[in-house]
Structures are given as C-alpha cells and as structure tokens.
Amino acid sequence: MSARPDLLQTGPMMAMIEAQLNEHFTVHRLDAPDAEAVLAEIGPHIRAAATGVGSTGGGARRVTDALMARLPALEIVANFGVGYDSVDAEAAGRRGIVVTNTPGVLDDEVADLTVGLVLSTIRQLPQAERYLRAGKWPSGAFPLTATLRDRTIGIVGMGRIGKAIAQRLEGFGRPIAYHSRRPVEGVPYRHYPDLLGLARDVDVLIVIVPGGPETNHMINAEVLAALGPTGSLINVARGSVVDEEALIKALQQGTIASAGLDVFANEPHVPEALIALDNVVLLPHVASATHLTRNAMGQLVVDNLTAWFSGRPPLTPVPETPVKTPA
Ligand code: NDP
C-alpha cells in the first residue's frame, strides 16, 4: 500500500476494524465534535470512507451525495453490512466512486436468527418465558398458541439470505413460496410476481429484501390486510420496508395475528406503541450480531479497503458502482 491515505470514518465501528483502519490509514472521524472543521480542512484529501449504520448500534452518518460532493478525492466507500442503504450507491456510481458491502459471510447467521424469530413469534416463546419469570405458572398453564404445523410460509426476497432461510425452513415440512421481481433459477418454491397474491396465500410472511427507496413501505396496510387475522409478519430486512404505523394498527386491531421484528424505522428508537403490544417479538437488530460473523464482516470491510489501496480490485463491490482498478 502507498503512504497512508486519509480515510473518513462516519461513526463508531468494531474495535478490530478501528485498529486495522488506524494501522493502514490516517483516520478522521465524522462523529467527532469538530467534524465540520475536519470536513472543511481534510475533505479534499479524503480518499476512502468506512461506514455502516448499525455496526455497533447506530450513530453513523449516511454517505449521501451531498457528503460525497465535499470529498472530491473519494475513491471508495466500504460499508459494514450487506445492506448498504447507509450509502447513496447510485450517486457514488455517477461519481465514479466504488462502494463495497459484506455479502455472503452473514447469510447463515441471519437465516438462523430468522428461524428463531419465526418460532418465537408463532409459539410465543418470549411471552411464555415472561410468564414463568413473573411467577404465573403455579396459577395456571400458559395459554395455547398458534402453530407452524398448519401454516404456509412466504418469503419476500429470495437472494443469498432468503435462500438460506428457505433451506432451513424446508426442514419444518411446510409449503414455501416467495416474491421477488424476477423468479430465481433453480429454487423449487413457487414464485409470485405479485406481493399481494403471496400475502393472500400464506400465513407467515418473512421479509428479507434490501432497504432503500425501491422497497420503501412495500409491506403496507393492503399487504397486511391480505396476510389476514391469523397471519404473522417477520421483518429481518430493514425498518423502511414496512409501513410501521400501518403495522402497529394492524397488530392493535387484529388485522394480523403477530409480528417478529429485528429492524425498525428509526433505530435505535422503537415506538412505545409496539413495545406496549404483547403479540410482537422485538429484537434490537441482532440478526448478524455474533462474535464470529461480525468479525468476518469487519475483516471484509478492511480487506476491501486494503485491496483497493494495494492496486487490486475491491473484493465485494455493489452492483451500482464501477469495478475498476485504482489509479
Ligand atoms: P440479495 O441482494 O442477495 O437478495 C435480495 C433479494 O431481494 C433478491 O431476491 C431480489 O430479487 C429481492 N428484491 C430486491 N428488490 C426488490 C423489490 N423492489 N421487490 C421485490 N423483491 C426485491 O441480498 P441479501 O439476501 O444478501 O440481503 C437482503 C437484505 O437483508 C440486505 O440488503 C439487508 O438490508 C438485509 N439484512 C438484514 C440484516 C439484519 O441484521 N436484520 C442482516 C443482513 C441483511 P429481485 O432483484 O429479482 O427483485
């Protein structure tokens, strides 16, 4: 690698990432109190950015077109996470800036968690545990719950993670169908080109599409009504994909039976109205949050950056941005 390039870190990241960034780059923090001064003074020299909302619980700033406009020497943005809605990738592409994400290394972990969330939601595992801890068991058994045994499963998004979820759920012996814009070759499940049609035909709807404008509020009041009063919504994608107000209403009014949510519209803030409901299972965006998987993701962030500044192509560029070799 050439002399240490200037890198902008948009928020807190894992210690193993920060240690390696400091080793290879001159790091400037966008979450420092003097960030504006840093941008004004160092902005023109910044050649790399490391970002990722949620890498340690929030606090990172989005890499917007306006921010990139202040970084005229920016070559690469390395995002922690396979979802890169924290970066305006289209704008980066127009500006000739490469964006990388962390695909593949988290698929199994997120799929495992999703299966746990499906069972927790339908069999009410957290509610049952709360019941026991509250000392209610001696006064009577926990009420009977819904079951997966009579349910059909719908998956919205049949990409890397959607497939890993489906493979696991096959073991439960229930019918599986999915929605995505294009059918996926080689998967044995029924494809629905129409999301409403899928919602109407299944009892459990698992959402695992990317965030961003194209999927914003794609799970809306109409989809929830189609899912129906015995239906469960599981969202492990992004909070933006679900119209949260419509979901709260649907849960309050019994339009759907239950929901399991790992992601929210305004993280880390979760609406009181959701917390007050007993027919939801709420997780603080932990689908990939294990030591093993987060370390693999962190290493991929660093490896993309060091590859680039060693004159090699980035390892995992996103489709919107050009893959080229650095100057
Ligand atoms: P992939 O890119 O492999 O798959 C995305 C899938 O979504 C494809 O099947 C794609 O099919 C479908 N899709 C994309 N846009 C739309 C649309 N507008 N309408 C319908 N379907 C759509 O992504 P991954 O499986 O690797 O990851 C999916 C997302 O999961 C990530 O972007 C991230 O936001 C989220 N995630 C959440 C985590 C968490 O902690 N809760 C952890 C990891 C990921 P097609 O293009 O044919 O429509």
Side-chain angles (χ1 to χ4, degrees):
M1 263 173 69
S2 51
R4 296 201 306 174
D6 288 296
L7 176 142
L8 190 65
Q9 188 183 323
T10 65
M13 300 192 96
M14 288 167 65
M16 60 83 77
I17 303 179
E18 292 190 353
Q20 294 186 71
L21 293 182
N22 282 308
E23 191 184 319
H24 297 292
F25 298 91
T26 303
V27 177
H28 308 277
R29 296 287 294 252
L30 197 55
D31 55 343
D34 61 342
E36 276 307 309
V38 167
L39 269 183
E41 192 192 328
I42 311 289
H45 307 293
I46 296 287
R47 295 178 63 197
T51 191
V53 179
S55 55
T56 57
R61 216 166 111 176
R62 252 190 116 237
V63 181
T64 57
D65 194 30
L67 177 58
M68 288 185 273
R70 300 182 68 181
L71 310 172
L74 188 63
E75 298 167 33
I76 181 168
V77 180
N79 180 69
F80 181 94
V82 66
Y84 48 97
D85 38 332
S86 51
V87 185
D88 187 340
E90 302 270 350
R94 282 194 302 274
R95 291 178 178 280
I97 297 165
V98 174
V99 177
T100 64
N101 64 345
T102 61
V105 293
L106 42 60
D107 300 350
D108 288 335
E109 202 72 82
V110 175
D112 288 355
L113 185 287
T114 305
V115 172
L117 188 53
V118 167
L119 287 179
S120 293
T121 304
I122 293 170
R123 297 294 305 274
Q124 300 185 21
L125 303 186
Q127 293 91 327
E129 206 222 21
R130 287 200 291 274
Y131 187 88
L132 180 154
R133 284 182 188 272
K136 293 182 181 170
W137 192 6
S139 324
F142 184 71
L144 303 183
T145 71
T147 175
L148 201 56
R149 293 297 95 224
D150 58 5
R151 292 189 162 215
T152 299
I153 298 163
I155 303 180
V156 183
M158 190 50 68
R160 288 169 294 247
I161 303 173
K163 282 185 207 149
I165 293 170
Q167 275 165 7
R168 283 158 176 73
L169 290 177
E170 275 186 21
F172 289 87
R174 302 305 312 154
I176 298 174
Y178 73 100
H179 164 71
S180 55
R181 289 167 300 183
R182 290 165 293 269
V184 180
E185 240 177 77
V187 304
Y189 324 112
R190 175 170 170 196
H191 174 250
Y192 282 72
D194 171 34
L195 172 58
L196 265 183
L198 178 70
R200 222 172 273 131
D201 284 1
V202 302
D203 311 286
V204 185
L205 197 62
I206 301 172
V207 188
I208 187 69
V209 289
E214 291 211 17
T215 56
N216 192 50
H217 286 194
M218 78 189 274
I219 307 297
N220 56 20
E222 209 184 345
V223 172
L224 295 169
L227 185 57
T230 58
S232 303
L233 178 78
I234 307 295
N235 187 12
V236 283
R238 284 289 181 266
S240 62
V241 179
V242 174
D243 178 344
E244 209 165 66
E245 279 185 24
L247 174 63
I248 290 168
K249 245 189 226 155
L251 287 162
Q252 286 169 338
Q253 297 174 352
T255 308
I256 66 168
S258 59
L261 308 172
D262 184 46
V263 287
F264 302 89
N266 183 29
E267 296 175 8
H269 307 289
V270 177
E272 278 303 323
L274 269 180
I275 292 175
L277 287 167
D278 204 40
N279 53 344
V280 287
V281 176
L282 306 172
L283 299 178
H285 200 150
V286 293
S288 68
T290 65
H291 294 293
L292 181 102
T293 295
R294 286 285 170 90
N295 280 336
M297 292 163 64
Q299 196 55 51
L300 195 46
V301 169
V302 174
D303 291 349
N304 268 296
L305 289 166
T306 52
W308 180 259
F309 288 101
S310 304
R312 285 177 280 127
L315 305 177
T316 47
V318 305
E320 292 91 335
T321 66
V323 184
K324 55 177 191 180
T325 318

PDB file of all heavy atoms in Angstrom, residues 66 91 99 108 111 129 146 149 258 267 279 285 327:
ATOM      1  N   ALA A  66     -24.576  14.649  -1.079  1.00  0.00           N
ATOM      2  CA  ALA A  66     -24.076  15.946  -0.580  1.00  0.00           C
ATOM      3  C   ALA A  66     -22.747  15.757   0.161  1.00  0.00           C
ATOM      4  O   ALA A  66     -21.822  16.571   0.011  1.00  0.00           O
ATOM      5  CB  ALA A  66     -25.103  16.575   0.344  1.00  0.00           C
ATOM      6  N   ALA A  91     -25.557   7.507  -6.522  1.00  0.00           N
ATOM      7  CA  ALA A  91     -24.780   8.754  -6.642  1.00  0.00           C
ATOM      8  C   ALA A  91     -23.287   8.435  -6.675  1.00  0.00           C
ATOM      9  O   ALA A  91     -22.525   9.027  -7.449  1.00  0.00           O
ATOM     10  CB  ALA A  91     -25.102   9.683  -5.476  1.00  0.00           C
ATOM     11  N   VAL A  99     -18.367   1.417  -4.134  1.00  0.00           N
ATOM     12  CA  VAL A  99     -18.950   1.088  -2.828  1.00  0.00           C
ATOM     13  C   VAL A  99     -18.819  -0.420  -2.634  1.00  0.00           C
ATOM     14  O   VAL A  99     -19.092  -1.187  -3.568  1.00  0.00           O
ATOM     15  CB  VAL A  99     -20.442   1.497  -2.762  1.00  0.00           C
ATOM     16  CG1 VAL A  99     -21.065   1.086  -1.437  1.00  0.00           C
ATOM     17  CG2 VAL A  99     -20.601   3.002  -2.988  1.00  0.00           C
ATOM     18  N   ASP A 108     -25.756 -17.376   6.781  1.00  0.00           N
ATOM     19  CA  ASP A 108     -26.204 -18.453   7.680  1.00  0.00           C
ATOM     20  C   ASP A 108     -26.638 -17.902   9.038  1.00  0.00           C
ATOM     21  O   ASP A 108     -27.625 -18.344   9.619  1.00  0.00           O
ATOM     22  CB  ASP A 108     -25.075 -19.479   7.875  1.00  0.00           C
ATOM     23  CG  ASP A 108     -24.860 -20.322   6.617  1.00  0.00           C
ATOM     24  OD1 ASP A 108     -25.818 -20.457   5.831  1.00  0.00           O
ATOM     25  OD2 ASP A 108     -23.737 -20.810   6.415  1.00  0.00           O
ATOM     26  N   ALA A 111     -29.976 -16.219   8.715  1.00  0.00           N
ATOM     27  CA  ALA A 111     -31.010 -17.233   8.488  1.00  0.00           C
ATOM     28  C   ALA A 111     -31.318 -17.987   9.791  1.00  0.00           C
ATOM     29  O   ALA A 111     -32.482 -18.254  10.096  1.00  0.00           O
ATOM     30  CB  ALA A 111     -30.559 -18.204   7.400  1.00  0.00           C
ATOM     31  N   GLU A 129     -41.752 -17.220  28.413  1.00  0.00           N
ATOM     32  CA  GLU A 129     -40.688 -17.075  29.406  1.00  0.00           C
ATOM     33  C   GLU A 129     -41.030 -15.966  30.407  1.00  0.00           C
ATOM     34  O   GLU A 129     -40.802 -16.114  31.607  1.00  0.00           O
ATOM     35  CB  GLU A 129     -39.352 -16.793  28.707  1.00  0.00           C
ATOM     36  CG  GLU A 129     -38.203 -17.249  29.571  1.00  0.00           C
ATOM     37  CD  GLU A 129     -37.044 -16.285  29.607  1.00  0.00           C
ATOM     38  OE1 GLU A 129     -37.250 -15.092  29.300  1.00  0.00           O
ATOM     39  OE2 GLU A 129     -35.950 -16.699  29.972  1.00  0.00           O
ATOM     40  N   ALA A 146     -50.596 -20.352  18.612  1.00  0.00           N
ATOM     41  CA  ALA A 146     -50.669 -20.750  17.205  1.00  0.00           C
ATOM     42  C   ALA A 146     -49.539 -21.742  16.927  1.00  0.00           C
ATOM     43  O   ALA A 146     -48.673 -21.973  17.780  1.00  0.00           O
ATOM     44  CB  ALA A 146     -50.541 -19.528  16.312  1.00  0.00           C
ATOM     45  N   ARG A 149     -47.468 -25.759  12.251  1.00  0.00           N
ATOM     46  CA  ARG A 149     -47.899 -27.029  11.634  1.00  0.00           C
ATOM     47  C   ARG A 149     -48.948 -26.861  10.555  1.00  0.00           C
ATOM     48  O   ARG A 149     -49.061 -27.701   9.670  1.00  0.00           O
ATOM     49  CB  ARG A 149     -48.442 -27.975  12.734  1.00  0.00           C
ATOM     50  CG  ARG A 149     -47.454 -28.482  13.742  1.00  0.00           C
ATOM     51  CD  ARG A 149     -46.365 -29.333  13.134  1.00  0.00           C
ATOM     52  NE  ARG A 149     -45.172 -28.572  12.831  1.00  0.00           N
ATOM     53  CZ  ARG A 149     -44.477 -28.679  11.704  1.00  0.00           C
ATOM     54  NH1 ARG A 149     -44.872 -29.467  10.741  1.00  0.00           N
ATOM     55  NH2 ARG A 149     -43.403 -27.970  11.507  1.00  0.00           N
ATOM     56  N   SER A 258     -49.707 -11.496  14.565  1.00  0.00           N
ATOM     57  CA  SER A 258     -48.472 -11.253  15.317  1.00  0.00           C
ATOM     58  C   SER A 258     -47.356 -10.807  14.389  1.00  0.00           C
ATOM     59  O   SER A 258     -47.465 -10.927  13.161  1.00  0.00           O
ATOM     60  CB  SER A 258     -48.052 -12.531  16.066  1.00  0.00           C
ATOM     61  OG  SER A 258     -47.860 -13.587  15.144  1.00  0.00           O
ATOM     62  N   GLU A 267     -34.221   3.346  14.084  1.00  0.00           N
ATOM     63  CA  GLU A 267     -33.356   2.697  15.083  1.00  0.00           C
ATOM     64  C   GLU A 267     -32.360   3.684  15.668  1.00  0.00           C
ATOM     65  O   GLU A 267     -31.893   4.573  14.949  1.00  0.00           O
ATOM     66  CB  GLU A 267     -32.607   1.534  14.412  1.00  0.00           C
ATOM     67  CG  GLU A 267     -33.546   0.450  13.937  1.00  0.00           C
ATOM     68  CD  GLU A 267     -32.831  -0.657  13.147  1.00  0.00           C
ATOM     69  OE1 GLU A 267     -31.585  -0.645  13.113  1.00  0.00           O
ATOM     70  OE2 GLU A 267     -33.507  -1.493  12.575  1.00  0.00           O
ATOM     71  N   ASN A 279     -48.380  -9.074  21.236  1.00  0.00           N
ATOM     72  CA  ASN A 279     -48.331 -10.010  20.098  1.00  0.00           C
ATOM     73  C   ASN A 279     -47.180  -9.701  19.140  1.00  0.00           C
ATOM     74  O   ASN A 279     -47.263 -10.005  17.960  1.00  0.00           O
ATOM     75  CB  ASN A 279     -49.675 -10.052  19.344  1.00  0.00           C
ATOM     76  CG  ASN A 279     -50.162  -8.667  18.935  1.00  0.00           C
ATOM     77  OD1 ASN A 279     -49.674  -7.658  19.441  1.00  0.00           O
ATOM     78  ND2 ASN A 279     -51.122  -8.614  18.030  1.00  0.00           N
ATOM     79  N   HIS A 285     -32.035  -5.369  16.306  1.00  0.00           N
ATOM     80  CA  HIS A 285     -31.231  -5.511  15.086  1.00  0.00           C
ATOM     81  C   HIS A 285     -29.983  -6.385  15.347  1.00  0.00           C
ATOM     82  O   HIS A 285     -28.848  -5.927  15.217  1.00  0.00           O
ATOM     83  CB  HIS A 285     -30.808  -4.122  14.556  1.00  0.00           C
ATOM     84  CG  HIS A 285     -30.416  -4.134  13.109  1.00  0.00           C
ATOM     85  ND1 HIS A 285     -30.586  -3.043  12.291  1.00  0.00           N
ATOM     86  CD2 HIS A 285     -29.862  -5.100  12.330  1.00  0.00           C
ATOM     87  CE1 HIS A 285     -30.138  -3.331  11.068  1.00  0.00           C
ATOM     88  NE2 HIS A 285     -29.691  -4.575  11.071  1.00  0.00           N
ATOM     89  N   ALA A 327      -6.184   4.001  -9.496  1.00  0.00           N
ATOM     90  CA  ALA A 327      -5.128   4.683 -10.271  1.00  0.00           C
ATOM     91  C   ALA A 327      -3.768   4.424  -9.640  1.00  0.00           C
ATOM     92  O   ALA A 327      -3.668   4.265  -8.438  1.00  0.00           O
ATOM     93  CB  ALA A 327      -5.407   6.163 -10.291  1.00  0.00           C
TER      94      ALA A 327
END
